[in-house]
Structures are given as structure tokens and as C-alpha cells.
Amino acid sequence: MASRQTILIIEDEKNIGNYIETIVISNQYKALRAKNGMEGLSLCTSHHPDLILLDLGLPDVDGMDVLKRIRSFSHVPVIIISARTQEREKVEALDQGADDYITKPFGSEELLARIRTAMRHSVQLSNLMTQEQKYSKAGLEIDFDKRLVTLEGKEIHLTQIEYKLVSLLAKNAGKVLTYDFILKEIWGPFADTDNQILRVNMANIRRKLEKNPAEPFYIFTEIGVGYRMKE
Ligand code: CA
């Protein structure tokens, strides 16, 4: 491998940090260690890691704040590592731009699978931004340049909001986007909207795109969390 990808581990518990470091190093990644939030942020800006594993419970800054600060300047994939199992925190971390979430205790296979997925998404996203201006999957094509959606060669007419929704999901295909994230992206951070408007638009989109809207093939519902488009 020409240049190994670097993973920044922000974790204050030494044993867990060592455990993660051993796993990533033995799988040909480079590891960077930070034992608190400020050190993590500093290593993130100085070393530009390819992925960050971030513990939520840190001694100095809350992990959620570390995530927010990282997101203010970087799109690096972030996987949250936490002992907390509450759905609320999982959703909040995803809302704040985390790519995935893993709960302690976890096995090496689970961790590596999540790392690979998050890295793959980040490559796909940068491809989309630079060259691949298209989403193409099983008959559905979205040309982001032309703002054109076709299903098996036939143009699908979407409203402006519907198009924004579909292209947002398509550009993040495979990743769960939370209701809050989608609402903010489409209607803006201060818009007075709720999930209902999202559900109505999604129902319309599914009627236009899906053969059977009740059993969607392209856009899945992650109950209580958000939506995910087929990768
Ligand atoms: Ca901790």
C-alpha cells in the first residue's frame, strides 16, 4: 500500500485506546492517539487523519462538542465510540455529522467493518464532488449537473423540494441521514418545519420512484432516525 490511511483515536480510557490501536495497526492503518478532546482537536488539525474514532465521554471537553468543532472545519469521517447506549445520543451524534456509531464493548470485526464503510463513503463523496456528477443504481439515475432524474430512461418530474431531498440522499447513499439533518439541509437551520412535511414529501417521492411505495427499493426508512438511500 503506497500510503497507509491514518486513524485518529480520541479515547481517555487507556485499555480501550490500546485495544483499538492494536486492531487498527494490525490492519495496516496508521494510528494516532489522543487522551482528551483538546489533544484530539489539535491532532486533527495538524495531521489531517483519514478517519476519527471519537469517545463521547472525555475528561475535558464533551465528545459531542469535539464532534461539533471537527465538523466546523472538516468532513473527515467520524465514528462515535461510546458506552452510552441511548438512542437519543446516537441520533444526536448523527445529527451533528457523525458517520456512524459503535457501542462498547465491541469486537474487532465490527469495528473494522464500520471503519471500512465510513472510509468508502468518504471516498464516494469526494468522487461525487470532483468528477462523478451522477448517481446510478438499478435503473435510477440522477444527473446532478443537469438536475435530471430518470427511472429506466424515463424522466421523473420532481418538485424543487423533492429533487433537493432525493439528491441529498443520493449524494450520501448508504448513509443514514437523520430527520433533523435533512430538515436543516433542505429548509434551512431556522425554518419552522417538522417531520410531517418530510414524510409528505417522501411519500410523494416514493410514489414517483418506487414500484411499490410501501416496500421501498431506493429510499429506506430508518425508524425513529431518518432515511437512507440505496448504495
Ligand atoms: Ca471515556
Side-chain angles (χ1 to χ4, degrees):
M1 207 180 282
S3 74
R4 292 185 297 157
Q5 290 166 305
T6 303
I7 296 178
L8 170 60
I9 304 158
I10 309 176
E11 167 67 77
D12 61 313
E13 284 159 80
K14 211 171 168 213
N15 291 343
I16 297 171
N18 290 345
Y19 170 66
I20 297 171
E21 184 173 4
T22 308
I23 295 170
V24 303
I25 287 178
S26 61
N27 284 273
Q28 315 305 323
Y29 297 108
K30 271 193 268 186
L32 282 171
R33 291 277 293 271
K35 57 188 178 306
N36 59 53
M38 291 316 288
E39 202 185 322
L41 283 164
S42 150
L43 284 172
C44 180
T45 46
S46 61
H47 285 71
H48 304 288
D50 298 289
L51 184 137
I52 296 174
L53 296 168
L54 172 66
D55 179 26
L56 278 187
L58 294 168
D60 55 345
V61 193
D62 186 76
M64 205 71 80
D65 289 325
V66 175
L67 173 66
K68 286 180 202 168
R69 292 201 214 172
I70 292 170
R71 276 292 168 265
S72 69
F73 64 86
S74 171
H75 292 291
V76 59
V78 176
I79 300 174
I80 295 293
I81 290 181
S82 177
R84 309 176 205 181
T85 51
Q86 292 90 344
E87 191 78 353
R88 190 183 61 76
E89 266 141 353
K90 174 174 130 190
V91 173
E92 192 187 341
L94 291 166
D95 271 339
Q96 296 298 337
D99 294 76
D100 208 345
Y101 189 97
I102 192 166
T103 306
K104 297 172 195 172
F106 49 83
S108 59
E109 286 313 309
E110 187 186 1
L111 178 65
L112 289 166
R114 280 164 200 260
I115 289 173
R116 281 192 298 269
T117 304
M119 294 258 196
R120 199 169 59 234
H121 286 164
S122 122
V123 169
Q124 281 168 347
L125 201 58
S126 58
N127 283 348
L128 265 175
M129 282 167 173
T130 52
Q131 27 168 327
E132 275 177 41
Q133 295 297 324
K134 267 184 190 163
Y135 169 93
S136 180
K137 189 83 210 173
L140 178 65
E141 279 205 15
I142 304 165
D143 187 322
F144 301 116
D145 268 348
K146 297 179 185 154
R147 297 175 69 93
L148 180 69
V149 181
T150 55
L151 185 63
E152 275 141 23
K154 268 181 253 162
E155 187 176 349
I156 302 288
H157 296 280
L158 298 175
T159 66
Q160 206 178 350
I161 291 286
E162 289 165 4
Y163 174 79
K164 279 191 186 174
L165 262 169
V166 170
S167 60
L168 178 68
L169 285 159
K171 285 175 179 174
N172 293 281
K175 185 177 165 183
V176 184
L177 301 184
T178 66
Y179 299 123
D180 248 33
F181 175 84
I182 297 172
L183 288 170
K184 286 191 181 113
E185 285 291 314
I186 307 292
W187 284 276
F190 308 108
D192 183 23
T193 45
D194 58 21
N195 293 355
Q196 182 57 26
I197 190 167
L198 196 49
R199 275 197 292 274
V200 169
N201 276 282
M202 194 54 71
N204 292 335
I205 290 169
R206 283 180 169 149
R207 261 198 298 279
K208 295 177 184 181
L209 295 188
E210 304 280 2
K211 285 198 178 76
N212 179 3
E215 279 176 46
F217 177 79
Y218 295 111
I219 302 172
F220 310 105
T221 301
E222 299 282 330
I223 294 163
V225 181
Y227 296 105
R228 180 169 54 89
M229 188 135 174
K230 193 176 185 69
E231 192 177 6

